[in-house]
Amino acid sequence: MVVKDLHATLIVTLIRHFSFGYAVLTFGVGDCPVAVLTPNASEVHMMNWLDVGEYGGGTRFITMPEIFQDTRKFASRLSFRLLPDFQYIMLMTDGIYDPKFVVEANLEKIENWHEFLNDLAGRNEEGITVSLEPGNTDVANQLSAWMDFWSPGNHDDRTLAIIY
C-alpha cells in the first residue's frame, strides 16, 4: 500500500452544549461542506470552505503534504462558532452536494437548503422520506435508502451526517 491509496477527504465537527447554547468547532480537508441551519431553517451558516483544488477533479486530500505543512492555510481549515441554538448541522461529501446543490455558491442560499429539506421529507423522484424527528429509530435506514438516488454524471461517494 502507498500513501495515495489512502487519499480521502475529511470533515470533523465537535459540538458542546452549554447553558448559553452550543460551541461548534469544525475542521475540513476536501470538498465536504459543513452547514449549520438556524432554528426554523431561517438562515444557513457555512462552517468551512470547500477545498476543491485548482481544476475539476482537483480535490485536496488529507494525504497531501501541503495540507499540514502550510500553517497559514491550515488555520483556515478550522472554524468556530457559538450558537444560541440550531435546527440542523449537516456534513456531507460531494456525492450529495454536487447533485443536490449543483454548484458551491448554492450552498450559501437558504432557499436551496429548504429544497434539500423538502427532498429529505419525501419530495423526490423516489418518494423516499427521511423523518428527522427525535426518537426516529429508523433514521439510519431511511438515510441509506434516500442516498441511493440516481443522478446522471454524479457517481462520487455519498456520505451525509445530520445532527438535529
Side-chain angles (χ1 to χ4, degrees), residues 1-36:
M1 181 181 300
V2 294
V3 171
K4 89 174 206 176
D5 291 338
L6 302 174
H7 280 345
T9 55
L10 173 70
I11 46 177
V12 176
T13 299
L14 300 172
I15 304 167
R16 173 81 193 259
H17 183 249
F18 293 96
S19 59
F20 56 82
Y22 297 86
V24 180
L25 174 69
T26 65
F27 174 79
V29 175
D31 52 355
C32 305
V34 178
V36 174

Side-chain angles (χ1 to χ4, degrees), residues 42-94:
S42 57
E43 296 177 47
V44 62
H45 301 287
M46 297 308 298
M47 294 293 292
N48 63 327
W49 55 276
L50 299 187
D51 202 10
V52 296
E54 298 163 9
Y55 55 88
T59 300
R60 314 304 292 159
F61 298 108
I62 60 172
T63 51
M64 296 175 164
E66 64 270 20
I67 298 300
F68 298 98
Q69 291 171 353
D70 185 345
T71 56
R72 289 171 292 131
K73 273 200 159 184
F74 185 80
S76 70
R77 297 180 183 290
L78 294 164
S79 181
F80 179 78
R81 204 171 199 130
L82 291 174
L83 304 166
D85 201 3
F86 66 89
Q87 184 169 5
Y88 303 107
I89 297 178
M90 298 200 186
L91 300 83
M92 64 183 71
T93 58
D94 57 340

